[in-house]
Amino acid sequence: MLGRLLAAGHTHTLDPARADAIVVNTCSFITTAAEEAVDTILEMARFKEQGACSRLVVTGCLAQRYKDDPDLTKTLPEVDVFVGTGACDQIADVLENKTPAGLTLFPDPNARTFADLSVDRVLSNDPHAYIKVSEGCSRHCTYCIIPSLRGRQRSRPMEEICSEARSLVAKGVKEIILTAENTTDYGQDLSEDSGFHHVLEALSDQVARVNPDVWIRFLYTHPTSLTRKIVQAVKAHDNICHYYDVPIQHADTAILRRMGRPCTQKQLETLFFMIRDLDPDAVLRTTVITGFPGESEAAFHTLLDFIQEVQFDHLGVFAYSDAPDLPSHALGQHVPADVAELRHDTLMAAQAKISEQVNQKHVGKIYPVLVEENPEPGLFIGRTMFQAPEVDGVTFIYSEGLATGTFVQVKITDAFAYDIAGNAGAVCEPPLK
Ligand code: SF4
């Protein structure tokens, strides 16, 4: 959207008081995300009174999710236009008042394809950048609203993904992060043999030709489509991080069935064994839900045991978030919210011990670290190959002078529950595995 606005001749400001128009791009995946979105909309609405703002626009999943709810426009009368997930390409028209206030734009999200490569992306100052390899999801997890907001899976042409990556790397990006609702489902909607491992192989070669010192990472895999070929592709290419983000959501087979997740505890065990067997340097991340309807004490302990058995390097835990428009809402045996929270806390406490042990193993080792921030003199913040931005811990680097956006060798001296720290050595080239 920013790229489209700049191409149309607009400029952007990070100061909402100075903005003529404000766009709030929203999430509504879980209740807390929707609440945060509404809080932000209300906060931005103040600038229609106290700032320059004459047009407040709400885009994204919150708008799309409640598009048929008459309360949406009644509850937020400050909003001039609501724009659904299928209409973000029309953002310039919306801001230029070609879309009258009070109108809502909700075309079928399935009809939207991909970002137009002729429109330059606007990048943050971060040295990493995300690329979506597909849009939408054709799966049916019962707790998830995403398929109805984003449409069925549409994989992006491989050449387009590579072209966007080459262009980002040419602009100085040092880490390309592939995302999708499920990256490893890539190609399932295409007719030819176009599995995700082909994307990794092609991307690795093409990115390396522009700059051999760039990391490639992929997030959000699905346990049923994370294949041996994908792990072999990671192993075979020096610039692909040995990082496997595999959201399992649960480990109890009966709960997985109620979640609409087509795998069993045994299959999950086999998958993680396969990854570690083929790639001993593998770093594993997962996310799970506690308090899903029907999760008995025994089912929760199956999950807890599984987490302790696999010893994930990183774990995200969410208490189940209910909503009337979710299929899981109609399932019986809802778990009280305080029980779901207690189980969340129990898992997090177990993981804190695991993470600290995992991090202790790094003490004394030297890793390439991508330097990202300089919060105070003598201290920098960066990430190793085994730390993804925003969701994992970071590496604190003690150094007098480093440049953000470069790789440096760091000797790890301290390990904490989620972060590690060490002293900077030489700037490294090549910085990879
Ligand atoms: S696979 Fe992911 S995006 Fe698709 S329905 Fe399940 S949780 Fe939602």
Side-chain angles (χ1 to χ4, degrees):
M1 286 193 285
L2 268 174
R4 286 201 172 273
L5 289 170
L6 263 61
H10 301 283
T11 54
H12 70 280
T13 170
L14 293 177
D15 179 1
R18 291 181 52 222
D20 299 319
I22 297 178
V23 178
V24 182
N25 193 25
T26 59
C27 175
S28 65
F29 186 41
I30 55 177
T31 307
T32 46
E35 287 168 355
E36 194 180 320
V38 170
D39 287 349
T40 306
I41 294 165
L42 295 175
E43 194 187 327
M44 291 300 120
R46 283 193 299 121
F47 295 104
K48 290 182 85 173
E49 305 291 327
Q50 299 168 9
C53 179
S54 61
R55 180 151 276 222
L56 178 60
V57 178
V58 172
T59 61
C61 288
L62 181 88
Q64 188 74 28
R65 185 167 186 173
Y66 299 107
K67 69 181 170 47
D68 297 324
D69 185 341
D71 283 349
L72 178 69
T73 46
K74 273 195 218 138
T75 318
L76 295 167
E78 305 87 346
V79 176
D80 294 293
V81 187
F82 288 95
V83 177
T85 51
C88 51
D89 295 333
Q90 298 172 45
I91 192 67
D93 283 352
V94 171
L95 261 59
E96 286 160 10
N97 292 356
K98 290 182 194 153
T99 305
L103 199 72
T104 52
L105 292 179
F106 292 114
D108 179 2
N110 280 298
R112 182 172 186 269
T113 50
F114 298 102
D116 179 352
L117 283 184
S118 66
V119 177
D120 251 359
R121 279 179 60 173
V122 177
L123 298 175
S124 68
N125 289 329
D126 293 327
H128 62 268
Y130 296 87
I131 295 181
K132 278 201 93 169
V133 298
S134 63
E135 285 286 349
C137 175
S138 300
R139 295 183 180 267
H140 304 283
C141 301
T142 56
Y143 55 84
C144 180
I145 194 72
I146 287 176
S148 70
L149 303 182
R150 297 262 159 190
R152 66 183 175 279
Q153 179 181 293
R154 287 99 67 208
S155 298
R156 198 173 175 190
M158 192 167 16
E159 181 40 37
E160 211 179 287
I161 298 168
C162 292
S163 168
E164 185 167 5
R166 288 194 307 268
S167 137
L168 290 172
V169 172
K171 285 179 182 158
V173 166
K174 295 294 172 53
E175 180 177 348
I176 295 285
I177 303 175
L178 304 179
T179 71
E181 274 67 22
N182 296 297
T183 46
T184 50
D185 282 1
Y186 178 88
Q188 289 180 1
D189 54 314
L190 302 176
S191 50
E192 69 260 46
D193 175 22
S194 44
F196 185 63
H197 59 284
H198 290 307
V199 176
L200 289 178
E201 285 158 357
L203 200 65
S204 168
D205 291 344
Q206 295 198 25
V207 161
R209 262 184 250 152
V210 184
N211 182 349
D213 303 333
V214 168
W215 280 339
I216 296 169
R217 184 188 302 278
F218 55 102
L219 301 177
Y220 310 125
T221 72
H222 195 281
T224 59
S225 55
L226 178 45
T227 60
R228 295 178 74 86
K229 285 182 178 170
I230 292 171
V231 182
Q232 282 160 346
V234 173
K235 270 284 280 180
H237 294 85
D238 270 353
N239 54 357
I240 305 177
C241 298
H242 300 263
Y243 184 94
Y244 301 86
D245 171 34
V246 196
I248 58 169
Q249 312 303 0
H250 215 279
D252 181 86
T253 301
I255 295 294
L256 286 166
R257 199 174 312 121
R258 285 167 73 85
M259 286 178 157
R261 308 270 303 173
C263 51
T264 63
Q265 180 183 354
K266 185 81 204 135
Q267 286 167 327
L268 291 175
E269 277 165 4
T270 306
L271 172 68
F272 293 118
F273 181 80
M274 179 274 283
I275 295 172
R276 282 194 167 135
D277 186 43
L278 283 182
D279 184 357
D281 295 326
V283 170
L284 300 182
R285 173 180 178 82
T286 196
T287 46
V288 298
I289 296 171
T290 57
F292 187 80
E295 187 192 58
S296 62
E297 202 57 39
F300 171 67
H301 276 277
T302 300
L303 175 59
L304 181 58
D305 291 347
F306 190 83
I307 296 300
Q308 282 173 326
E309 178 196 328
V310 177
Q311 301 261 307
F312 290 95
D313 299 79
H314 308 288
L315 172 73
V317 185
F318 297 89
Y320 171 69
S321 173
D322 194 40
D325 56 352
L326 295 174
S328 54
H329 179 73
L331 295 172
Q333 302 168 267
H334 276 240
V335 175
D338 58 339
V339 175
E341 280 300 332
L342 192 65
R343 290 175 183 172
H344 164 279
D345 296 349
T346 306
L347 274 185
M348 289 305 286
Q351 181 63 26
K353 288 192 191 134
I354 294 169
S355 294
E356 194 158 355
Q357 282 167 9
V358 167
N359 279 345
Q360 284 295 342
K361 285 195 283 191
H362 299 310
V363 173
K365 300 220 170 100
I366 297 173
Y367 295 112
V369 173
L370 178 56
V371 184
E372 296 208 295
E373 287 174 57
N374 181 200
E376 58 186 74
L379 182 70
F380 290 79
I381 295 177
R383 290 179 296 105
T384 59
M385 179 275 288
F386 47 82
Q387 294 166 323
E390 297 179 40
V391 287
D392 298 333
V394 296
T395 303
F396 294 105
I397 313 158
Y398 311 121
S399 171
E400 284 312 317
L402 291 173
T404 55
T406 57
F407 289 95
V408 66
Q409 299 280 10
V410 175
K411 181 164 189 185
I412 306 302
T413 53
D414 302 299
F416 314 105
Y418 296 108
D419 305 312
I420 53 178
N423 297 308
V427 169
C428 44
E429 277 180 53
L432 303 169
K433 291 178 180 178

